[in-house]
Amino acid sequence: MRKGCSKLDAGFTIALCGLYFVEFSDEIMPIREIKSMEPVRWNDQKVEWILQNRIPWEETWKKSSSIEELARGIETLEIRGAPVIGIAAAYGIALSASNYNGNDIDEMARHIENDRGRLAKTRPTAVNLFWALDRMSKKTAELVKNSGSVDAIKKGLLAEAVAIQKENTEDSIRMGRNGKDLIQDGDVILTHCNTGPLACGGIGTSTGVILSAWEEGKDFKVIATYTAPLYQGARLTVWEFMKAGVPVTLITDNMAAYAMKNAGITKIFLGADRILMDGQVANKIGTYQLAVLANHHKIPFYVAAPMSTVDSKSSSIPIEMRKPDEVRTVLGKLQITVPDVPVLNPAFDITPPDLVSAIVTEKGIARHPYKKSLSDML
Ligand code: MRU
Protein backbone atom coordinates (compact mmCIF):
# COMPACT_ATOMS: atom_id res chain seq x y z
CA MET A 1 0.00 0.00 0.00
CA ARG A 2 1.36 3.44 -0.89
CA LYS A 3 1.98 5.86 1.95
CA GLY A 4 -0.98 8.12 2.66
CA CYS A 5 -3.29 5.93 0.64
CA SER A 6 -6.15 4.05 2.20
CA LYS A 7 -7.96 1.24 0.49
CA LEU A 8 -11.18 2.56 -0.99
CA ASP A 9 -13.95 0.02 -0.97
CA ALA A 10 -16.60 1.61 -3.12
CA GLY A 11 -17.38 4.45 -5.45
CA PHE A 12 -13.91 5.63 -6.25
CA THR A 13 -12.96 7.71 -9.18
CA ILE A 14 -10.24 7.57 -11.76
CA ALA A 15 -9.65 11.00 -13.16
CA LEU A 16 -7.27 10.32 -15.96
CA CYS A 17 -5.57 12.52 -18.47
CA GLY A 18 -8.00 15.35 -17.82
CA LEU A 19 -9.81 13.71 -20.74
CA TYR A 20 -11.53 10.86 -19.02
CA PHE A 21 -13.54 10.85 -15.86
CA VAL A 22 -14.73 7.42 -14.92
CA GLU A 23 -16.53 6.46 -11.75
CA PHE A 24 -17.10 2.91 -10.69
CA SER A 25 -18.08 1.03 -7.57
CA ASP A 26 -18.62 -2.59 -6.58
CA GLU A 27 -21.35 -2.74 -9.19
CA ILE A 28 -20.24 -1.80 -12.69
CA MET A 29 -21.40 1.73 -13.28
CA PRO A 30 -21.55 3.44 -16.63
CA ILE A 31 -19.37 6.48 -17.17
CA ARG A 32 -21.33 8.93 -15.09
CA GLU A 33 -19.65 12.05 -16.08
CA ILE A 34 -17.49 12.44 -19.09
CA LYS A 35 -15.45 15.59 -18.88
CA SER A 36 -14.13 15.23 -22.34
CA MET A 37 -15.26 11.85 -23.63
CA GLU A 38 -13.62 8.86 -25.26
CA PRO A 39 -10.91 8.95 -27.97
CA VAL A 40 -13.63 8.43 -30.61
CA ARG A 41 -17.13 9.86 -30.26
CA TRP A 42 -20.28 10.82 -32.12
CA ASN A 43 -20.81 14.56 -32.41
CA ASP A 44 -23.51 16.29 -34.41
CA GLN A 45 -23.94 13.72 -37.24
CA LYS A 46 -20.18 13.32 -37.48
CA VAL A 47 -17.48 11.08 -36.01
CA GLU A 48 -14.89 12.89 -33.95
CA TRP A 49 -11.52 11.53 -32.81
CA ILE A 50 -8.43 12.66 -31.00
CA LEU A 51 -5.41 12.58 -33.31
CA GLN A 52 -3.29 9.96 -31.56
CA ASN A 53 -0.42 10.48 -34.00
CA ARG A 54 0.00 14.04 -32.65
CA ILE A 55 0.16 13.10 -28.95
CA PRO A 56 2.09 14.16 -26.83
CA TRP A 57 2.83 17.34 -28.79
CA GLU A 58 -0.78 18.34 -29.35
CA GLU A 59 -4.19 17.28 -28.12
CA THR A 60 -6.14 17.93 -31.30
CA TRP A 61 -9.50 16.51 -32.37
CA LYS A 62 -10.75 15.96 -35.91
CA LYS A 63 -14.43 15.80 -36.86
CA SER A 64 -15.62 14.35 -40.14
CA SER A 65 -18.66 13.03 -41.96
CA SER A 66 -16.53 11.29 -44.59
CA ILE A 67 -16.10 7.51 -44.46
CA GLU A 68 -12.94 7.87 -46.53
CA GLU A 69 -11.45 10.28 -43.98
CA LEU A 70 -12.40 7.97 -41.12
CA ALA A 71 -10.84 4.98 -42.92
CA ARG A 72 -7.65 6.96 -43.55
CA GLY A 73 -7.66 8.00 -39.90
CA ILE A 74 -7.54 4.30 -38.95
CA GLU A 75 -4.86 3.51 -41.54
CA THR A 76 -2.59 6.37 -40.47
CA LEU A 77 -3.04 5.61 -36.75
CA GLU A 78 -4.83 8.83 -35.94
CA ILE A 79 -7.28 6.29 -34.51
CA ARG A 80 -5.54 3.21 -33.19
CA GLY A 81 -5.58 0.37 -30.65
CA ALA A 82 -7.72 -2.70 -31.24
CA PRO A 83 -10.83 -1.88 -29.14
CA VAL A 84 -10.93 1.76 -30.31
CA ILE A 85 -10.61 0.71 -33.96
CA GLY A 86 -13.72 -1.44 -33.35
CA ILE A 87 -15.61 1.49 -31.84
CA ALA A 88 -14.58 3.75 -34.73
CA ALA A 89 -15.80 1.16 -37.24
CA ALA A 90 -19.15 0.93 -35.44
CA TYR A 91 -19.54 4.71 -35.60
CA GLY A 92 -18.45 4.49 -39.25
CA ILE A 93 -21.50 2.34 -40.02
CA ALA A 94 -23.75 4.75 -38.11
CA LEU A 95 -22.17 7.56 -40.13
CA SER A 96 -22.74 5.72 -43.39
CA ALA A 97 -26.44 5.39 -42.52
CA SER A 98 -26.66 9.02 -41.46
CA ASN A 99 -25.03 10.12 -44.77
CA TYR A 100 -27.66 8.32 -46.86
CA ASN A 101 -30.01 10.89 -48.40
CA GLY A 102 -32.54 8.74 -50.24
CA ASN A 103 -35.73 7.02 -49.22
CA ASP A 104 -35.16 3.47 -50.43
CA ILE A 105 -34.26 0.97 -47.71
CA ASP A 106 -32.64 -1.58 -50.06
CA GLU A 107 -30.53 1.12 -51.68
CA MET A 108 -29.57 2.31 -48.20
CA ALA A 109 -28.47 -1.23 -47.25
CA ARG A 110 -26.24 -1.36 -50.37
CA HIS A 111 -24.78 2.07 -49.53
CA ILE A 112 -23.92 0.87 -45.99
CA GLU A 113 -22.45 -2.38 -47.31
CA ASN A 114 -20.19 -0.42 -49.64
CA ASP A 115 -18.85 1.73 -46.76
CA ARG A 116 -18.47 -1.37 -44.63
CA GLY A 117 -16.18 -2.78 -47.33
CA ARG A 118 -13.97 0.31 -47.17
CA LEU A 119 -13.72 0.18 -43.36
CA ALA A 120 -12.95 -3.56 -43.43
CA LYS A 121 -9.93 -2.87 -45.67
CA THR A 122 -8.22 -0.50 -43.24
CA ARG A 123 -6.21 -2.82 -40.97
CA PRO A 124 -6.19 -6.62 -41.06
CA THR A 125 -4.90 -7.77 -37.66
CA ALA A 126 -7.09 -6.31 -34.90
CA VAL A 127 -10.12 -8.58 -34.89
CA ASN A 128 -12.18 -5.99 -32.98
CA LEU A 129 -12.61 -4.16 -36.31
CA PHE A 130 -14.33 -7.18 -37.88
CA TRP A 131 -16.17 -8.04 -34.68
CA ALA A 132 -17.71 -4.55 -34.60
CA LEU A 133 -18.48 -4.54 -38.35
CA ASP A 134 -20.17 -7.94 -38.05
CA ARG A 135 -22.26 -6.77 -35.13
CA MET A 136 -23.29 -3.64 -37.05
CA SER A 137 -24.11 -5.74 -40.15
CA LYS A 138 -26.36 -8.01 -38.09
CA LYS A 139 -28.08 -4.95 -36.65
CA THR A 140 -28.48 -3.45 -40.15
CA ALA A 141 -30.09 -6.66 -41.44
CA GLU A 142 -32.44 -6.78 -38.45
CA LEU A 143 -33.44 -3.11 -38.87
CA VAL A 144 -33.91 -3.44 -42.63
CA LYS A 145 -36.19 -6.42 -42.04
CA ASN A 146 -38.23 -4.99 -39.18
CA SER A 147 -38.14 -1.21 -39.04
CA GLY A 148 -39.65 -0.04 -42.33
CA SER A 149 -38.08 3.44 -42.41
CA VAL A 150 -34.75 4.99 -43.31
CA ASP A 151 -34.94 7.14 -40.20
CA ALA A 152 -35.47 4.17 -37.89
CA ILE A 153 -32.41 2.46 -39.41
CA LYS A 154 -30.30 5.58 -38.83
CA LYS A 155 -31.40 5.78 -35.20
CA GLY A 156 -31.02 2.05 -34.61
CA LEU A 157 -27.47 1.92 -35.99
CA LEU A 158 -26.36 4.92 -33.96
CA ALA A 159 -27.84 3.34 -30.82
CA GLU A 160 -25.93 0.11 -31.56
CA ALA A 161 -22.61 1.97 -31.97
CA VAL A 162 -23.21 3.85 -28.71
CA ALA A 163 -24.00 0.52 -27.01
CA ILE A 164 -20.74 -0.99 -28.29
CA GLN A 165 -18.79 1.92 -26.84
CA LYS A 166 -20.61 1.76 -23.51
CA GLU A 167 -20.15 -2.01 -23.17
CA ASN A 168 -16.48 -1.59 -24.02
CA THR A 169 -16.06 0.93 -21.19
CA GLU A 170 -17.84 -1.31 -18.70
CA ASP A 171 -15.77 -4.30 -19.82
CA SER A 172 -12.56 -2.34 -19.28
CA ILE A 173 -13.63 -1.69 -15.69
CA ARG A 174 -14.46 -5.38 -15.20
CA MET A 175 -11.09 -6.35 -16.68
CA GLY A 176 -9.35 -4.00 -14.28
CA ARG A 177 -11.18 -5.51 -11.36
CA ASN A 178 -10.49 -9.08 -12.49
CA GLY A 179 -6.78 -8.48 -13.01
CA LYS A 180 -5.77 -6.08 -10.25
CA ASP A 181 -4.91 -8.81 -7.72
CA LEU A 182 -2.20 -10.07 -10.04
CA ILE A 183 -0.30 -6.92 -9.04
CA GLN A 184 1.34 -6.58 -5.63
CA ASP A 185 3.21 -3.94 -3.67
CA GLY A 186 6.79 -3.68 -4.87
CA ASP A 187 6.11 -4.91 -8.42
CA VAL A 188 7.99 -3.46 -11.36
CA ILE A 189 5.72 -3.94 -14.36
CA LEU A 190 6.98 -3.88 -17.93
CA THR A 191 4.45 -2.88 -20.58
CA HIS A 192 4.72 -2.53 -24.34
CA CYS A 193 2.90 -0.39 -26.91
CA ASN A 194 -0.23 1.32 -25.59
CA THR A 195 -3.17 -0.32 -23.89
CA GLY A 196 -4.70 2.64 -22.09
CA PRO A 197 -7.82 4.76 -22.63
CA LEU A 198 -6.49 6.06 -25.96
CA ALA A 199 -6.22 2.59 -27.48
CA CYS A 200 -9.06 0.88 -25.73
CA GLY A 201 -11.60 3.36 -24.41
CA GLY A 202 -12.71 3.20 -20.78
CA ILE A 203 -9.70 2.70 -18.54
CA GLY A 204 -7.89 0.48 -21.04
CA THR A 205 -6.99 -3.20 -21.02
CA SER A 206 -3.58 -3.89 -19.43
CA THR A 207 -3.33 -0.26 -18.43
CA GLY A 208 -6.81 -0.59 -16.92
CA VAL A 209 -5.58 -3.47 -14.75
CA ILE A 210 -2.56 -1.40 -13.68
CA LEU A 211 -4.71 1.68 -12.96
CA SER A 212 -7.16 -0.41 -10.93
CA ALA A 213 -4.32 -1.75 -8.77
CA TRP A 214 -2.99 1.81 -8.43
CA GLU A 215 -6.40 3.08 -7.31
CA GLU A 216 -6.36 0.46 -4.55
CA GLY A 217 -3.25 2.12 -3.19
CA LYS A 218 -0.75 -0.52 -4.27
CA ASP A 219 2.82 0.68 -4.53
CA PHE A 220 4.58 -0.33 -7.75
CA LYS A 221 6.38 1.07 -10.76
CA VAL A 222 5.85 0.78 -14.50
CA ILE A 223 8.47 0.51 -17.22
CA ALA A 224 7.27 1.36 -20.74
CA THR A 225 9.06 0.47 -23.96
CA TYR A 226 9.53 2.92 -26.83
CA THR A 227 7.64 0.57 -29.18
CA ALA A 228 9.47 1.43 -32.40
CA PRO A 229 8.87 2.28 -35.14
CA LEU A 230 5.83 4.40 -34.26
CA TYR A 231 6.58 4.92 -30.55
CA GLN A 232 3.15 4.24 -29.07
CA GLY A 233 4.88 3.45 -25.76
CA ALA A 234 7.04 6.58 -25.65
CA ARG A 235 4.34 8.92 -26.92
CA LEU A 236 1.08 7.54 -25.55
CA THR A 237 1.67 5.12 -22.65
CA VAL A 238 4.09 7.46 -20.91
CA TRP A 239 1.66 10.36 -21.47
CA GLU A 240 -1.24 8.41 -19.96
CA PHE A 241 0.64 7.11 -16.91
CA MET A 242 2.21 10.47 -16.17
CA LYS A 243 -1.19 12.17 -16.33
CA ALA A 244 -2.57 9.48 -13.98
CA GLY A 245 0.32 9.98 -11.54
CA VAL A 246 1.65 6.42 -11.88
CA PRO A 247 5.48 6.30 -11.77
CA VAL A 248 6.69 5.31 -15.23
CA THR A 249 10.19 4.91 -16.67
CA LEU A 250 10.86 4.79 -20.41
CA ILE A 251 13.29 2.35 -22.08
CA THR A 252 14.13 1.65 -25.70
CA ASP A 253 12.95 -1.71 -27.02
CA ASN A 254 16.48 -3.15 -27.05
CA MET A 255 16.89 -2.50 -23.30
CA ALA A 256 14.27 -5.09 -22.35
CA ALA A 257 16.68 -7.95 -21.55
CA TYR A 258 18.88 -5.58 -19.56
CA ALA A 259 15.86 -4.29 -17.63
CA MET A 260 14.60 -7.82 -16.87
CA LYS A 261 18.02 -8.77 -15.53
CA ASN A 262 18.94 -5.53 -13.78
CA ALA A 263 15.89 -3.32 -13.17
CA GLY A 264 13.91 -5.77 -11.07
CA ILE A 265 11.02 -6.40 -13.49
CA THR A 266 8.57 -8.73 -11.74
CA LYS A 267 5.61 -8.83 -14.17
CA ILE A 268 4.87 -8.13 -17.81
CA PHE A 269 1.44 -6.80 -18.74
CA LEU A 270 0.36 -6.12 -22.28
CA GLY A 271 -2.63 -6.11 -24.60
CA ALA A 272 -3.67 -8.01 -27.70
CA ASP A 273 -5.02 -7.31 -31.15
CA ARG A 274 -6.28 -10.84 -31.74
CA ILE A 275 -6.27 -13.98 -29.60
CA LEU A 276 -6.97 -17.41 -31.06
CA MET A 277 -8.85 -20.04 -29.08
CA ASP A 278 -5.66 -22.00 -28.47
CA GLY A 279 -4.13 -18.95 -26.75
CA GLN A 280 -1.92 -17.58 -29.54
CA VAL A 281 -1.70 -13.83 -29.02
CA ALA A 282 -1.14 -11.30 -31.80
CA ASN A 283 0.09 -8.02 -30.38
CA LYS A 284 2.37 -5.12 -31.29
CA ILE A 285 5.65 -6.11 -32.91
CA GLY A 286 8.18 -6.84 -30.18
CA THR A 287 5.75 -8.69 -27.94
CA TYR A 288 7.07 -12.12 -28.92
CA GLN A 289 10.66 -11.19 -28.07
CA LEU A 290 9.48 -9.90 -24.67
CA ALA A 291 7.68 -13.21 -24.04
CA VAL A 292 10.81 -15.22 -24.89
CA LEU A 293 12.89 -13.02 -22.59
CA ALA A 294 10.29 -13.20 -19.81
CA ASN A 295 10.33 -16.99 -20.05
CA HIS A 296 14.13 -17.02 -19.75
CA HIS A 297 14.00 -14.74 -16.68
CA LYS A 298 10.98 -16.58 -15.17
CA ILE A 299 8.84 -13.44 -15.17
CA PRO A 300 5.04 -13.91 -15.47
CA PHE A 301 3.74 -12.67 -18.81
CA TYR A 302 0.13 -11.46 -18.65
CA VAL A 303 -2.17 -10.35 -21.45
CA ALA A 304 -5.36 -8.33 -20.90
CA ALA A 305 -7.99 -7.99 -23.61
CA PRO A 306 -11.76 -7.96 -23.97
CA MET A 307 -13.58 -11.02 -25.34
CA SER A 308 -14.15 -9.03 -28.56
CA THR A 309 -10.40 -9.57 -29.18
CA VAL A 310 -10.86 -13.37 -29.02
CA ASP A 311 -11.31 -14.80 -32.50
CA SER A 312 -13.26 -18.04 -32.27
CA LYS A 313 -13.47 -18.52 -36.05
CA SER A 314 -9.88 -18.36 -37.33
CA SER A 315 -6.95 -20.69 -37.02
CA SER A 316 -4.34 -18.18 -38.21
CA ILE A 317 -3.80 -14.43 -37.91
CA PRO A 318 -3.04 -12.04 -40.78
CA ILE A 319 -0.11 -9.79 -39.90
CA GLU A 320 -0.25 -6.22 -41.21
CA MET A 321 2.82 -5.12 -43.14
CA ARG A 322 3.27 -1.35 -43.07
CA LYS A 323 5.16 1.15 -45.21
CA PRO A 324 8.99 0.94 -45.29
CA ASP A 325 9.36 4.66 -44.55
CA GLU A 326 8.02 4.09 -41.03
CA VAL A 327 11.30 2.22 -40.39
CA ARG A 328 13.56 4.42 -42.51
CA THR A 329 12.54 7.59 -40.69
CA VAL A 330 11.63 8.77 -37.22
CA LEU A 331 7.90 9.37 -37.50
CA GLY A 332 8.29 10.52 -41.11
CA LYS A 333 10.39 13.51 -40.03
CA LEU A 334 14.01 12.47 -39.87
CA GLN A 335 15.52 9.97 -42.28
CA ILE A 336 17.86 7.68 -40.34
CA THR A 337 19.16 5.33 -43.01
CA VAL A 338 20.10 5.06 -46.64
CA PRO A 339 17.10 5.92 -48.83
CA ASP A 340 15.54 2.86 -50.46
CA VAL A 341 17.18 0.30 -48.19
CA PRO A 342 14.86 -2.73 -48.17
CA VAL A 343 12.83 -2.85 -44.99
CA LEU A 344 10.76 -5.41 -43.10
CA ASN A 345 7.92 -3.71 -41.22
CA PRO A 346 5.42 -6.12 -39.64
CA ALA A 347 3.15 -4.21 -37.26
CA PHE A 348 2.42 -7.26 -35.08
CA ASP A 349 3.84 -10.62 -34.06
CA ILE A 350 2.38 -13.76 -32.56
CA THR A 351 3.26 -15.11 -29.13
CA PRO A 352 2.67 -18.84 -28.65
CA PRO A 353 0.35 -19.88 -25.80
CA ASP A 354 3.05 -21.64 -23.77
CA LEU A 355 4.72 -18.25 -23.18
CA VAL A 356 1.51 -16.61 -21.92
CA SER A 357 0.96 -17.03 -18.16
CA ALA A 358 -2.68 -15.87 -18.15
CA ILE A 359 -5.19 -13.81 -20.13
CA VAL A 360 -7.32 -11.30 -18.22
CA THR A 361 -10.73 -10.58 -19.75
CA GLU A 362 -13.95 -8.97 -18.55
CA LYS A 363 -15.23 -12.50 -17.85
CA GLY A 364 -12.34 -13.53 -15.61
CA ILE A 365 -8.80 -14.85 -15.92
CA ALA A 366 -8.13 -17.53 -18.54
CA ARG A 367 -5.26 -19.93 -17.90
CA HIS A 368 -3.78 -22.99 -19.64
CA PRO A 369 -5.21 -24.85 -21.47
CA TYR A 370 -6.68 -21.83 -23.24
CA LYS A 371 -8.90 -23.87 -25.54
CA LYS A 372 -10.92 -24.84 -22.50
CA SER A 373 -10.70 -21.65 -20.43
CA LEU A 374 -11.45 -19.32 -23.37
CA SER A 375 -14.32 -21.43 -24.68
CA ASP A 376 -15.82 -21.58 -21.17
CA MET A 377 -15.76 -17.78 -21.17
CA LEU A 378 -17.24 -17.46 -24.66
O1 MRU B 1 -0.77 -0.46 -34.36
P1 MRU B 1 -1.56 -0.05 -33.15
O2 MRU B 1 -0.99 1.12 -32.44
O3 MRU B 1 -3.03 0.08 -33.42
O4 MRU B 1 -1.35 -1.29 -32.21
C1 MRU B 1 -2.28 -1.78 -31.38
C2 MRU B 1 -1.80 -1.73 -30.02
O5 MRU B 1 -1.90 -0.72 -29.40
C3 MRU B 1 -1.17 -2.85 -29.41
O6 MRU B 1 -0.83 -3.90 -30.17
C4 MRU B 1 -1.84 -3.14 -28.09
O7 MRU B 1 -0.92 -3.75 -27.32
C5 MRU B 1 -3.10 -3.95 -28.21
S1 MRU B 1 -4.49 -2.97 -28.56
C6 MRU B 1 -4.89 -2.33 -27.00
Side-chain angles (χ1 to χ4, degrees), residues 136 139 143 151-161:
M136 294 302 284
K139 192 71 193 176
L143 290 163
D151 247 26
I153 297 173
K154 290 183 180 184
K155 281 194 190 115
L157 287 177
L158 179 56
E160 188 71 355

Side-chain angles (χ1 to χ4, degrees), residues 301-344:
F301 184 92
Y302 297 119
V303 170
M307 292 306 286
S308 55
T309 303
V310 177
D311 178 356
S312 60
K313 293 183 201 138
S314 310
S315 53
S316 63
I317 304 177
I319 296 294
E320 177 184 4
M321 291 290 169
R322 293 187 61 89
K323 291 186 181 142
D325 276 349
E326 289 182 353
V327 174
R328 293 184 190 127
T329 68
V330 178
L331 299 174
K333 293 187 177 77
L334 174 68
Q335 189 187 302
I336 50 165
T337 185
V338 179
D340 301 332
V341 61
V343 158
L344 184 63

Side-chain angles (χ1 to χ4, degrees), residues 139-206:
K139 192 71 193 176
T140 309
E142 183 192 310
L143 290 163
V144 165
K145 196 167 158 219
N146 301 327
S147 73
S149 92
V150 161
D151 247 26
I153 297 173
K154 290 183 180 184
K155 281 194 190 115
L157 287 177
L158 179 56
E160 188 71 355
V162 169
I164 286 176
Q165 184 164 36
K166 182 170 170 279
E167 287 164 27
N168 180 72
T169 297
E170 291 170 1
D171 286 345
S172 78
I173 293 166
R174 287 193 183 95
M175 235 180 292
R177 202 173 285 158
N178 290 340
K180 67 182 166 42
D181 290 341
L182 295 171
I183 297 174
Q184 278 89 37
D185 281 337
D187 272 341
V188 179
I189 301 166
L190 179 75
T191 190
H192 183 58
C193 198
N194 173 252
T195 65
L198 287 168
C200 311
I203 57 171
T205 54
S206 257

Side-chain angles (χ1 to χ4, degrees), residues 11-16 19-24 29-35 38 169-170 172-173 197 201-203 215:
F12 61 90
T13 298
I14 288 183
L16 180 63
L19 281 174
Y20 311 93
F21 199 90
V22 181
E23 176 161 316
F24 56 100
M29 290 176 65
I31 290 182
R32 205 182 65 179
E33 189 181 350
I34 305 173
K35 285 273 158 74
E38 296 273 353
T169 297
E170 291 170 1
S172 78
I173 293 166
I203 57 171
E215 280 292 335

Side-chain angles (χ1 to χ4, degrees), residues 52 74 77 79-85 123 126 128 191-196 198-200 204-206 227 230 232 235-237 269-274 282-285 287 304-306 309 320 322 347-348:
Q52 296 200 43
I74 295 172
L77 272 56
I79 301 168
R80 54 152 293 286
V84 160
I85 292 172
R123 298 191 73 192
N128 310 60
T191 190
H192 183 58
C193 198
N194 173 252
T195 65
L198 287 168
C200 311
T205 54
S206 257
T227 320
L230 297 179
Q232 290 93 330
R235 295 186 300 104
L236 309 175
T237 300
F269 266 94
L270 13 66
D273 296 80
R274 192 185 294 228
N283 191 49
K284 181 51 60 194
I285 189 72
T287 298
T309 303
E320 177 184 4
R322 293 187 61 89
F348 302 96

Side-chain angles (χ1 to χ4, degrees), residues 46-121:
K46 294 191 167 100
V47 181
E48 187 170 35
W49 60 93
I50 191 163
L51 295 172
Q52 296 200 43
N53 55 344
R54 304 235 183 119
I55 294 174
W57 308 283
E58 290 171 31
E59 294 171 28
T60 311
W61 292 76
K62 184 192 258 183
K63 191 155 71 159
S64 177
S65 57
S66 151
I67 292 291
E68 185 53 31
E69 223 172 340
L70 179 66
R72 288 211 188 124
I74 295 172
E75 286 163 350
T76 58
L77 272 56
E78 290 174 1
I79 301 168
R80 54 152 293 286
V84 160
I85 292 172
I87 292 166
Y91 279 127
I93 298 299
L95 180 66
S96 172
S98 156
N99 286 347
Y100 178 71
N101 285 324
N103 233 336
D104 177 334
I105 290 180
D106 292 327
E107 185 186 55
M108 181 188 202
R110 285 194 296 277
H111 163 87
I112 294 172
E113 186 51 35
N114 189 44
D115 285 343
R116 178 200 198 282
R118 175 66 186 97
L119 292 166
K121 279 203 193 106

